[in-house]
């Protein structure tokens, strides 16, 4: 028996508490969200919000990668998968509601495609960045990610 058994009932409990802590760390400060939402709703604002999302994940790279690890672990642990699915689903629903309430352009389908595209972009950016930049342009990751964010938003979100 290790020290962790004093704090966690089992491995799933440890993983879910880690996921909860990471979720809190990755949730933006409400005051910063308020400042970010001052411009009028537009495709440009959505692009700015997506670039901010990338920046926030870069600022907590360890947390983002840990969440990816938890997702992989959930493929092997049904109880963890169920609980993590509930957490992530709630976060997606909350984000979709925020998108609608803020009158950002794009319907529910556009939001879902944006979510999926950004998830894929972040996955590549944090795990295999040369997939996005090519091996010869590894130092241009930031410019490439910004260009790809703009491309995703332009292709998915209709003009205002």
């Amino acid at each position: 028996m290790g020290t962790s058994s004093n704090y966690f009932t089992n491995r799933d409990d440890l993983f879910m508490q880690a996921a909860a802590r990471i979720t809190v760390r990755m949730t933006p400060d409400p005051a910063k969200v308020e400042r970010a939402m001052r411009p009028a709703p537009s495709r440009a604002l959505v692009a700015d919000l997506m670039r901010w999302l990338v920046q926030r994940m870069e600022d907590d790279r360890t947390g983002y990668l840990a969440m990816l690890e938890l997702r992989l672990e959930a493929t092997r642990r049904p109880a963890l998968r169920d609980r993590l699915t509930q957490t992530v689903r709630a976060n997606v629903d909350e984000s979709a509601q925020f998108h609608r309430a803020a009158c950002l352009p794009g319907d529910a389908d556009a939001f879902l495609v944006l979510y999926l595209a950004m998830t894929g972009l972040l996955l590549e950016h944090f795990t295999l960045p040369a997939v996005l930049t090519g091996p010869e342009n590894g130092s241009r990751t930031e410019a490439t990610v910004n260009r790809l964010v703009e491309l995703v938003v332009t292709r998915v979100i209709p003009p205002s």
Side-chain angles (χ1 to χ4, degrees):
M1 297 297 277
T3 307
S4 65
S5 64
N6 294 329
Y7 301 99
F8 309 104
T9 56
N10 56 41
R11 285 180 63 88
D12 286 343
D13 183 40
L14 180 143
F15 292 143
M16 282 312 300
Q17 288 193 40
R21 177 68 185 124
I22 293 164
T23 299
V24 168
R25 283 176 34 185
M26 292 170 54
T27 300
D29 179 319
K32 290 181 180 179
V33 172
E34 184 181 327
R35 279 194 302 277
M37 295 305 296
R38 287 185 182 150
S42 66
R43 182 196 279 170
L45 176 58
V46 173
D48 288 343
L49 293 171
M50 295 305 102
R51 282 190 286 275
W52 185 39
L53 170 68
V54 172
Q55 184 59 56
R56 289 190 353 257
M57 297 307 103
E58 287 174 344
D59 291 347
D60 192 3
R61 178 183 174 85
T62 302
Y64 185 80
L65 290 172
M67 190 59 85
L68 291 176
E69 292 286 355
L70 285 168
R71 284 173 174 244
L72 291 173
E73 185 67 25
T75 67
R76 297 178 289 276
R77 304 180 74 80
L80 177 61
R81 180 178 49 244
D82 292 345
R83 290 180 65 194
L84 195 56
T85 296
Q86 289 174 355
T87 299
V88 172
R89 180 77 246 172
N91 289 340
V92 170
D93 290 345
E94 183 180 326
S95 294
Q97 175 57 34
F98 177 86
H99 188 95
R100 284 189 304 276
C103 299
L104 293 169
D107 61 11
D109 289 339
F111 171 82
L112 179 60
V113 172
L114 180 64
Y115 167 78
L116 295 171
M118 290 302 299
T119 300
L121 191 150
L122 288 167
L123 174 68
E124 297 300 339
H125 176 56
F126 285 107
T127 60
L128 301 171
V131 168
L132 302 177
T133 62
E136 67 284 351
N137 293 319
S139 64
R140 301 192 63 233
T141 302
E142 183 178 346
T144 299
V145 169
N146 283 335
R147 183 182 63 77
L148 290 171
V149 166
E150 189 68 35
L151 180 64
V152 164
V153 171
T154 300
R155 298 294 172 111
V156 173
I157 301 298
S160 313

